[in-house]
Amino acid sequence: MESLLGEVGAGGRFQVQLVASVKFADMSLAWGMMQMTFAGLVPDWWCQPPEAANSSHGNWSRDNTTFHICPVSNNSDTCGEVVFDDSVQTIVNEWTLVCDLDYVKPMVTSLQMGGVLFGALLGGQVSDSLGRRPTAYLAYLANLIVSLVTAFSISWRMFAIMRVLIGVTLGVNIVVLYTYMLEFIGSKRRQLVSAIPGWNIGVCLFALMAWLFPNWSHLHMAVAALNLPFLLTWFVFPESARWLAVKGRLQEAEAVISHLARVNGRQKPKDTLERLQEVMEEELKAGQGRRYTYIDVYRGWRMAVTSLAINFIWFCLSFCYYGISFGVSALSGNLYLNIALMVLVEIPANFVCVFFADRFGRKWTTFFLAILSSLSSFGILISNFKAPTTQQETITTTLAMISRLSVGAGWTVMNTFTLEQYPTVIRNLGIGAANTAARVGGVLAPIVLNMDNEEEVVHGYIVVGILMGVSAFTLLLLTETKGQDLRDSMTSVEVDNRIVNEPSSRTSSLDAVVPPMTEEPSWSSSRTDAASAVISRTGEPAKPLTPTSYEAKEQVEVKVEY
């Protein structure tokens, strides 16, 4: 399939249009995900005495005697009600979420991330069953509708429910859109495409809009409007040809290949249908026409180790990424500037990582970034004890930026690395499982890393340092995928599992797979050479083989692939 896409253009005008659209969609996803960094902001507030509330002048002092003092039922003479600084409008001053309701803000954030977790699970299963394209666009339409309804919430309870639903739609699209895009991209360009900073630009745009229009309701309306342009591309982009081929919808897959060739100015290969047929038959032989589930992501020893390692790494990346992001208000300086800087520093880092990932591999690039994040986080602890008091805030902010940069850049590389570990038939399931683990980290991050003061910031970065250090060495369990074609069927996975389970029986397993041949050779020259090269490993003279049946032919091809 990779060679077929290459012949009709794996990096042509169609791919440029698709990547531009998906990266624009990423901006909306980032905006939606980061809404609670502003919507949950706690403005300055004071407790207003009853006489001030009843006075037409409201002449009373907003000082330390009334600052953050909660109303008490038996002390109503000195404190009547809470009043907020009205320079910003968040859910906190919309529904007075302080004092006995101060638990609502972190709860809503965790509920949103719980919705993302469920969406990641749902998106992986649905998109592998119904297709990448309808799943992505339906989730995007749902996000637009729910975001618009959220803007008119009449209570914090309604707002919390809406944020859960927004989280579900975000979780579906985070899983599906990335896979949908990269299944049209050639191996040489996948890492470069991953580094294009759609998400980062979305967060920066959100920080700018929150500064210009500091109202939680208006920001939800704006993100709903931002969804509309991508929905219009439904009429432009087709379903993934890879997914159609492995599902046996060959006529539709051929039509997609024809569309790619036409847009990219290429000629469609004459044997397109036959090559798509091979992809389908290989999958039918490996999967026997069954429907794949999340169990298949962990089936077999090699796949189980790979998937569990990926899940743990994604958990650590998400936990640290959102822990640092949601704790940005604890850093010194302007909140909006800090939000923007947190993601701006990632943009040049992402493009540098493209070079390193293509030069040294995905695994070692992510390993280095995880170690850098860990060392930066522990550096905050050291500076808290060793650095001069006047410089501690600057050093902490700088090291936090480096740690956040490393986590974000590492996650960018890990996205491509994870996608390349799975064949097409379970790729979205694998990405969905990884995203589910990530959302568990996202749910726990605002609770465990509640960085509201200097001491909690130091403790939080100790946790970040430990997790990133452990995840770095977990990466060593994964197989490098640099320069490799995307796999389409479970055949290669079964071979990997067979190699792990029977490492010393390669010759005997090959003899068992390939039956004695008695007919005259009928292979093409390339297959004869490949088959002969494999058989020669047994020590026997290399002989061209001719399968007596289709099944034998496919079995030889499996061994040739190994």
Side-chain angles (χ1 to χ4, degrees), residues 154-174:
I154 59 175
S155 69
W156 67 261
R157 294 172 183 84
M158 177 180 174
F159 180 84
I161 293 171
M162 292 298 103
R163 287 308 302 177
V164 173
L165 296 179
I166 287 174
V168 173
T169 62
L170 291 173
V172 171
N173 269 313
I174 287 172

Side-chain angles (χ1 to χ4, degrees), residues 1 21 39 78 87 271 279 314 335 399 441 458 467-468 494 510 530:
M1 192 70 191
S21 299
T78 59
S87 61
D271 61 344
V279 173
W314 276 64
L335 170 65
L399 290 174
V458 174
L467 287 179
M468 293 309 298
E494 293 174 357
L510 180 63

Side-chain angles (χ1 to χ4, degrees), residues 529-546:
D529 295 341
S532 299
V534 173
I535 301 300
S536 64
R537 294 182 186 179
T538 65
E540 299 293 330
K543 300 177 180 178
L545 302 178
T546 303

Side-chain angles (χ1 to χ4, degrees), residues 58-271:
N59 185 21
W60 59 284
S61 176
R62 295 186 177 186
D63 55 26
N64 288 338
T65 62
T66 58
F67 185 68
H68 286 196
I69 301 298
C70 292
V72 182
S73 58
N74 60 4
N75 192 24
S76 58
D77 292 338
T78 59
C79 185
E81 63 178 350
V82 170
V83 294
F84 291 89
D85 174 9
D86 59 2
S87 61
V88 295
Q89 190 68 24
T90 71
I91 64 169
V92 176
N93 52 352
E94 180 75 26
W95 295 297
T96 316
L97 302 181
V98 293
C99 299
D100 57 337
L101 290 177
D102 60 357
Y103 68 90
V104 173
K105 171 200 161 184
M107 181 189 73
V108 171
T109 304
S110 289
L111 285 173
Q112 170 193 305
M113 301 308 288
V116 178
L117 184 156
F118 179 76
L121 274 173
L122 182 67
Q125 186 69 66
V126 172
S127 64
D128 272 340
S129 300
L130 301 182
R132 282 53 162 141
R133 181 170 173 263
T135 305
Y137 281 93
L138 282 173
Y140 232 81
L141 177 62
N143 184 271
L144 185 154
I145 295 170
V146 176
S147 295
L148 197 58
V149 173
T150 304
F152 297 96
S153 295
I154 59 175
S155 69
W156 67 261
R157 294 172 183 84
M158 177 180 174
F159 180 84
I161 293 171
M162 292 298 103
R163 287 308 302 177
V164 173
L165 296 179
I166 287 174
V168 173
T169 62
L170 291 173
V172 171
N173 269 313
I174 287 172
V175 170
V176 180
L177 272 178
Y178 192 76
T179 303
Y180 176 56
M181 175 182 67
L182 287 193
E183 285 187 346
F184 285 102
I185 306 296
S187 61
K188 293 182 179 179
R189 296 178 177 87
R190 283 198 290 266
Q191 192 57 61
L192 176 61
V193 166
S194 302
I196 296 174
W199 183 278
N200 307 70
I201 294 172
V203 175
C204 290
L205 181 61
F206 166 73
L208 175 63
M209 294 298 289
W211 176 62
L212 293 174
F213 307 101
N215 185 298
W216 67 270
S217 180
H218 296 166
L219 291 174
H220 278 80
M221 294 180 195
V223 77
L226 196 62
N227 282 356
L228 189 57
F230 178 74
L231 288 173
L232 298 178
T233 64
W234 167 267
F235 304 101
V236 178
F237 301 119
E239 179 59 89
S240 166
R242 290 178 182 273
W243 183 84
L244 291 170
V246 297
K247 292 297 182 180
R249 294 162 62 173
L250 301 184
Q251 299 299 326
E252 295 174 70
E254 186 180 22
V256 172
I257 296 297
S258 298
H259 177 71
L260 264 64
R262 184 170 61 256
V263 174
N264 290 336
R266 301 286 190 90
Q267 290 292 325
K268 185 186 77 171
K270 294 181 179 180
D271 61 344

Side-chain angles (χ1 to χ4, degrees), residues 5 10 109 134 136 155 169 222 262 329 391 403 480 500 529 552:
L5 286 174
T109 304
S155 69
T169 62
R262 184 170 61 256
S329 59
Q391 299 179 10
S403 182
E480 181 57 70
V500 172
D529 295 341

